[in-house]
Amino acid sequence: MALKASIAVGTVATLLNGVICGSMFWVSTVTVPTLMDIASRQEDRLTLTVFQAWWPKGRRVMTRLIPITVVANLAASACYRPDRQSRISCNWMNWIGSAMYVASIGLWTVVKMIEGTVTTLAEADPEKEEHEVTDDDEEISHVVERFCQLHHPRLAFAAGAFGLSLYTILASLLTDEWLDLVSKKR
């Protein structure tokens, strides 16, 4: 019974890690190039309008999804606790590592991205004629470029979390205990 629960909780954590990884992949491969394309045309009003419509929606999803996923990974870690006499008990640290990767996405966003890029773009007035929005008269296109460059480590964190959890859940499924469980049902 404990093995079934640990695999179920681990599967949920892996699926949530996959959702975050897919989201970050979409941003890196679709949204970032779109923002860069608009910014490279020096269409500041359009750039700001698109960013200001997109960012709050992404923030709303991620500020809910990241904590839920961290908790799911920690719950999976608890199911794979080291006091169990099992070959899969060594995997509990993988779930903690996966939770740390996911938490790093949020931390990276807050520490590296919010102050210098997100706040600047989110608070700029798209209707303003002058589009030098920072204290040092930095142009919108440069702020967007920096935002886009700073986004990619979030994809690396998400891929690390998903890869580690996928490895861990597959390793759990391929243990002798799971094979014994399946063979008993036949």
Side-chain angles (χ1 to χ4, degrees):
M1 183 66 172
L3 183 62
K4 286 182 183 180
S6 62
I7 290 175
V9 173
T11 300
V12 168
T14 301
L15 290 173
L16 289 170
N17 289 333
V19 169
I20 289 179
C21 188
S23 299
M24 292 294 130
F25 180 78
W26 178 264
V27 172
S28 282
T29 59
V30 176
T31 307
V32 163
T34 301
L35 285 171
M36 291 292 293
D37 184 51
I38 295 168
S40 70
R41 297 180 197 172
Q42 302 297 314
E43 295 181 29
D44 293 344
R45 285 184 182 169
L46 180 58
T47 302
L48 290 173
T49 301
V50 169
F51 185 86
Q52 290 171 356
W54 167 76
W55 175 257
K57 293 164 184 64
R59 180 186 60 216
R60 186 174 55 242
V61 169
M62 285 299 156
T63 55
R64 292 179 176 125
L65 188 59
I66 287 173
I68 290 168
T69 305
V70 168
V71 168
N73 280 283
L74 294 176
S77 173
C79 290
Y80 285 79
R81 63 191 180 278
D83 59 327
R84 289 190 41 213
Q85 296 300 317
S86 154
R87 288 178 51 196
I88 63 170
S89 64
C90 63
N91 292 334
W92 72 280
M93 286 296 290
N94 290 356
W95 294 112
I96 291 176
S98 185
M100 291 173 65
Y101 272 128
V102 172
S104 295
I105 296 166
L107 291 172
W108 178 266
T109 304
V110 169
V111 172
K112 291 298 235 177
M113 297 178 73
I114 294 291
E115 185 64 33
T117 60
V118 174
T119 304
T120 302
L121 295 170
E123 294 177 357
D125 182 3
E127 300 304 318
K128 187 177 176 184
E129 286 300 318
E130 186 177 311
H131 296 292
E132 296 174 341
V133 294
T134 62
D135 292 338
D136 61 348
D137 295 332
E138 187 174 17
E139 292 184 17
I140 292 290
S141 60
H142 295 119
V143 177
V144 169
E145 183 178 332
R146 195 167 64 247
F147 170 84
C148 292
Q149 290 171 347
L150 288 172
H151 166 75
H152 296 301
R154 297 188 316 167
L155 173 58
F157 294 138
F162 183 55
L164 187 57
S165 64
L166 191 61
Y167 164 78
T168 304
I169 199 68
L170 289 175
S172 299
L173 290 173
L174 298 176
T175 63
D176 292 337
E177 289 178 356
W178 187 80
L179 295 174
D180 289 342
L181 184 68
V182 172
S183 65
K184 287 179 187 176
K185 290 186 177 184
R186 288 185 192 173

